Amino acid sequence: MFNTLFKFKTGNTNLNLDLSTIDLEKVPQHIAIIMDGNGRWARAQGKPRTFGHQAGAETLKNIVKTADKIGVKIISAYAFSTENWKRPVTEVNFIMELLSRYLTSEIEEFHKNNVQVRFMGSREGLPEVVRQKMEHAEKVTAENTGIILNLAINYGGQAEILHAVKNIVSDVESGSLKVEDIDAQHFEDYLYTKGLPAPDLLIRPGGDLRISNFMLWQIAYAEIWTTDVYWPAFTPEMFLEAVKAYGGRERRYGGLITK
Ligand code: IPE
Ligand code: IPE
Ligand code: MG
């Protein structure tokens, strides 16, 4: 058990998080988050949707800090999907610019906090400047040993599986891989998450009860936690609530618990 208060400053507010009810033994290693509801959050205040994306980017920083503090090893956060290109070009452009700015302004802070930044998704189709910032962020933080922030940008679960299948076929054709050697473990080496354990907990704010093409392979046995609260309004306290709920779940993986 933690017996401390976790204090940190976010914008103009000082947060005092009570960690005493978090059971260290039951903290998920890997948490996946579908950061949804930015647009509706902004609209509810009579602001443009882009305002919500800006606020959502701030939320992520606080959640990563909190996650790191309680011993979570990996946060996989859905920032932009392969389907989000269907949105109006002005919104897409805003998100790309926001990503580019975020990867510049926040990288020093992440680096200082020993966060390792990784990405998953297709780099093809992304603006050159975003790709460069992604490469830079990865390079600068590659040796960091703290929490891994795995950002999903131009990511789709189906696209990821197709990408893996194509590479597998190509390796079989070139003779470096035998069909009989392809098993689930081997298959995972072809996914963007190679080397990472599967998410234990999937959090979806924003009220929709669906997966929206996120980590289809990897979430096979993830515990799911949802809230109607929109992502920009999602707080570290709510994050701790999800972690606590996870601690009370019984994971069976299709088997039986023998007591
Ligand atoms: C999530 O918020 C961010 C992205 C998908 C880029 P939305 O933009 O989907 O916000 P809502 O769901 O429309 O409120
Ligand atoms: C999922 O949210 C994608 C991200 C959070 C980046 P969407 O808003 O795109 O999902 P749908 O359209 O509601 O399923
Ligand atoms: Mg949405």
Side-chain angles (χ1 to χ4, degrees):
M1 290 280 182
F2 293 92
N3 50 14
T4 47
L5 276 184
F6 176 40
K7 297 180 187 198
F8 72 88
K9 207 173 151 64
T10 152
N12 296 325
T13 32
N14 286 306
L15 268 185
N16 278 317
L17 285 182
D18 178 10
L19 303 181
S20 64
T21 55
I22 301 288
D23 185 348
L24 242 184
E25 305 279 303
K26 291 179 176 167
V27 169
Q29 241 199 115
H30 184 172
I31 302 182
I33 307 177
I34 299 175
M35 304 188 288
D36 197 27
N38 293 352
R40 281 166 288 165
W41 178 83
R43 279 283 171 232
Q45 302 172 61
K47 302 244 171 65
R49 290 177 54 83
T50 49
F51 187 75
H53 296 312
Q54 185 93 41
E58 285 301 307
T59 302
L60 181 62
K61 281 197 290 186
N62 295 334
I63 298 307
V64 171
K65 266 192 207 162
T66 310
D68 190 28
K69 183 69 190 174
I70 61 168
V72 174
K73 301 283 177 246
I74 307 153
I75 292 282
S76 289
Y78 208 1
F80 190 85
S81 79
T82 45
E83 285 69 39
N84 288 147
W85 296 106
K86 293 177 195 161
R87 297 187 178 194
V89 67
T90 46
E91 179 164 342
V92 170
N93 286 346
F94 181 89
I95 293 171
M96 290 301 145
E97 277 161 29
L98 178 65
L99 280 171
S100 168
R101 264 185 285 131
Y102 193 74
L103 291 174
T104 311
S105 61
E106 302 312 325
I107 242 36
E108 275 319 306
E109 175 86 6
F110 282 137
H111 188 40
K112 209 177 75 204
N113 293 331
N114 200 21
V115 178
Q116 189 191 118
V117 181
R118 296 178 46 145
F119 299 95
M120 57 178 181
S122 170
R123 308 257 169 135
E124 257 168 67
L126 287 173
E128 181 58 27
V129 56
V130 174
R131 285 196 331 215
Q132 280 172 5
K133 299 268 170 73
M134 287 163 77
E135 272 165 39
H136 177 74
E138 266 176 340
K139 217 161 94 191
V140 170
T141 65
E143 306 297 323
N144 289 348
T145 53
I147 193 169
I148 295 174
L149 172 60
N150 181 34
L151 271 177
I153 299 178
N154 195 17
Y155 174 87
Q158 292 180 341
E160 177 181 36
I161 292 170
L162 280 177
H163 169 82
V165 168
K166 284 181 186 168
N167 285 330
I168 287 172
V169 170
S170 143
D171 283 355
V172 168
E173 277 175 356
S174 73
S176 62
L177 178 67
K178 292 202 198 85
V179 172
E180 54 273 29
D181 289 341
I182 306 170
D183 56 14
Q185 213 185 335
H186 215 95
F187 186 81
E188 287 173 1
D189 287 344
Y190 287 83
L191 297 174
Y192 296 126
T193 44
K194 180 181 175 181
L196 300 179
D200 303 293
L201 173 65
L202 171 72
I203 296 177
R204 180 165 191 152
D208 285 312
L209 300 176
R210 57 176 169 258
I211 301 302
S212 300
N213 204 10
F214 196 44
M215 303 187 85
L216 296 181
W217 173 280
Q218 296 91 336
I219 60 162
Y221 277 102
E223 295 295 325
I224 301 177
W225 192 90
T226 63
T227 169
D228 287 342
V229 172
Y230 299 134
W231 174 247
F234 188 82
T235 61
E237 285 88 349
M238 291 170 197
F239 180 77
L240 295 182
E241 206 185 304
V243 167
K244 261 186 267 177
Y246 170 84
R249 303 276 181 93
E250 185 184 80
R251 302 183 77 186
R252 291 188 292 276
Y253 302 95
L256 297 173
I257 302 287
T258 46
K259 284 195 178 120

